[in-house]
Amino acid sequence: MDLEHVVRGRAPRPGGFDDVVVTVSAGLVSEVRAAVPGDPSTSGILLPGLVDIHNHGGGGASFHTTSPDEIATAAGVHQAAGTTTLLASTVTDSPSRLLSVVASLATAAEAGLIAGIHMEGPFLEHSCRGAHDPALLLAPDAGLAREFVAAARGHLRVMTLAAELPGADEVASALTEAGVVVALGHTAASASQARAFLSGPGSLVTHLFNGMPPAHHRSPGPVLGSLGAAGVGDACVELIADGVHLDDETVRAVMSMVPGSVVLVTDAMAAAGMADGDYQLGPLAVEVRDGVARIADGTGNGSIAGGTSRLIDQVRRHAAAGIDLAMLMRASSLRPASVVGLDAGRLEPGVRADLVLTDESLQPTRVMRGGAWLTTPA
């Protein structure tokens, strides 16, 4: 029998908090109301479950795998830290390997372990490849894209694409027809190409600034083209706000410029939640030193190879720096869910009961997913 839970906490609102009581029944939120005398004592800060739509793994495990146990380990690390909804991300690999990985992730999605799949590659610009094997990058191929869609069995939610490559338009059309969100990323597109793409098939930018040329006042490129599109349309921009991929002032500036269009993501790889060491990101070896993951090129100066944070770490970091917690929660729950069509990331009646309780420093104390309490994070 599904238990009923009554949870009281301080829910963020612009400029402060509301003291609320959330009732959970049969795995769903059944009521959200203001607290009154006689209610249970407060449990701390109460957040909706976080939503990460760009995540390659954690806990020493990768989502770029056909192992059900490895997928479960990676998902569990992030869920225990408050990310109750996540997309599992792949990296560039051979078509046969990608088809196998996508089919395995589809099974995990059908089991409710993940909310869907994000494919990062193989249709990326060579010069902006970052931590993607250059030997495995491919020219955009609509037929292959349809094979990926079929292998995902309805669970492919997002695919990253370099819009300027020949054949990208055909791939974007095939993905759009299948209901897949097309994301601009790992791209050297001009500002006008980026704007046109995000006014057409694209509605998301994969980790803005990373995997693309820096903005220049005479060559604005995809960075300023993307921000311009987000400022006037429905496009969203991902930020890896971990202090490694982006300076904190960059995050603050973008959130000020396009506050309703920011999506915080981790781009996490297997080292998330783990100590420094040697790891894998798809077919590539990765070294993690001082919490920074880089391609193992023997010099220690290889490309950054994904993140090691959990989403709550980014929220905590920027709340401590003075960004309004309600704005951060929109960027880490409601907005990422909405841009990929997921019914998650908010505390409302009828929505799956995903709750995160934290202390005053935003360290998680308890996490609920689907009405069930998960193991308290370490």
Side-chain angles (χ1 to χ4, degrees), residues 85-154:
T85 299
L86 58 86
L87 299 188
S89 300
T90 66
V91 295
T92 297
D93 211 328
S94 67
S96 60
R97 174 65 175 167
L98 282 169
L99 288 167
S100 296
V101 168
V102 166
S104 297
L105 291 174
T107 299
E110 288 161 358
L113 192 61
I114 59 175
I117 304 164
H118 160 229
M119 294 192 71
E120 191 175 15
F123 308 135
L124 310 177
E125 162 57 35
H126 186 278
S127 65
C128 301
R129 64 188 180 275
H132 291 261
D133 190 334
L136 296 172
L137 295 174
L138 297 175
D141 181 333
L144 182 55
R146 292 187 181 95
E147 289 186 51
F148 293 145
V149 168
R153 306 194 297 275

Side-chain angles (χ1 to χ4, degrees), residues 9-359:
R10 296 167 56 236
R13 58 170 172 75
F17 295 89
D18 288 328
D19 188 3
V20 302
V21 173
V22 177
T23 303
V24 173
S25 183
L28 303 176
V29 174
S30 58
E31 183 183 37
V32 180
R33 59 172 175 80
V36 297
D39 282 329
S41 59
T42 183
S43 299
I45 295 175
L46 175 61
L47 310 175
L50 307 186
V51 180
D52 191 357
I53 62 172
H54 188 156
N55 189 314
H56 296 279
S62 171
F63 285 128
H64 192 87
T65 183
T66 57
S67 165
D69 290 343
E70 194 168 355
I71 295 168
T73 295
V77 164
H78 291 280
Q79 290 167 357
T83 303
T84 52
T85 299
L86 58 86
L87 299 188
S89 300
T90 66
V91 295
T92 297
D93 211 328
S94 67
S96 60
R97 174 65 175 167
L98 282 169
L99 288 167
S100 296
V101 168
V102 166
S104 297
L105 291 174
T107 299
E110 288 161 358
L113 192 61
I114 59 175
I117 304 164
H118 160 229
M119 294 192 71
E120 191 175 15
F123 308 135
L124 310 177
E125 162 57 35
H126 186 278
S127 65
C128 301
R129 64 188 180 275
H132 291 261
D133 190 334
L136 296 172
L137 295 174
L138 297 175
D141 181 333
L144 182 55
R146 292 187 181 95
E147 289 186 51
F148 293 145
V149 168
R153 306 194 297 275
H155 297 289
L156 181 57
R157 291 275 180 176
V158 181
M159 187 169 194
T160 300
L161 182 65
E164 73 277 16
L165 297 179
D169 288 345
E170 290 79 5
V171 169
S173 293
L175 295 172
T176 301
E177 289 172 6
V180 178
V181 172
V182 185
L184 175 69
H186 288 279
T187 177
S190 67
S192 59
Q193 286 173 320
R195 271 182 174 268
F197 186 79
L198 294 169
S199 299
S203 56
L204 181 66
V205 180
T206 294
H207 47 49
L208 185 71
F209 298 100
N210 300 115
M212 57 187 67
H216 185 277
H217 56 283
R218 287 190 297 271
S219 181
V223 171
L224 295 188
S226 296
L227 287 171
V232 300
D234 295 327
C236 288
V237 295
E238 293 181 355
L239 299 181
I240 311 173
D242 58 3
V244 174
H245 287 80
L246 298 175
D247 187 87
D248 291 349
E249 285 298 328
T250 302
V251 174
R252 182 185 297 274
V254 173
M255 293 197 77
S256 175
M257 292 168 64
V258 288
S261 302
V262 171
V263 170
L264 298 183
V265 298
T266 61
D267 196 13
M269 45 80 70
M274 300 290 286
D276 286 359
D278 298 329
Y279 297 89
Q280 287 290 130
L281 181 61
L284 298 178
V286 175
E287 298 174 339
V288 179
R289 303 291 182 265
D290 298 322
V292 180
R294 294 186 181 275
I295 295 298
D297 64 355
T299 70
N301 293 313
S303 295
I304 294 177
T308 59
S309 71
R310 280 81 57 91
L311 208 50
I312 191 65
D313 301 328
Q314 297 185 19
V315 171
R316 184 188 315 113
R317 178 186 187 93
H318 292 284
I323 296 181
D324 186 74
L325 183 56
M327 178 183 288
L328 290 166
M329 289 311 303
R330 177 180 173 84
S332 61
S333 55
L334 179 62
R335 201 63 183 103
S338 65
V339 76
V340 299
L342 294 172
D343 189 20
R346 62 192 196 280
L347 297 179
E348 294 179 7
V351 178
R352 190 178 75 177
D354 294 346
L355 314 177
V356 183
L357 291 169
T358 79
D359 61 18

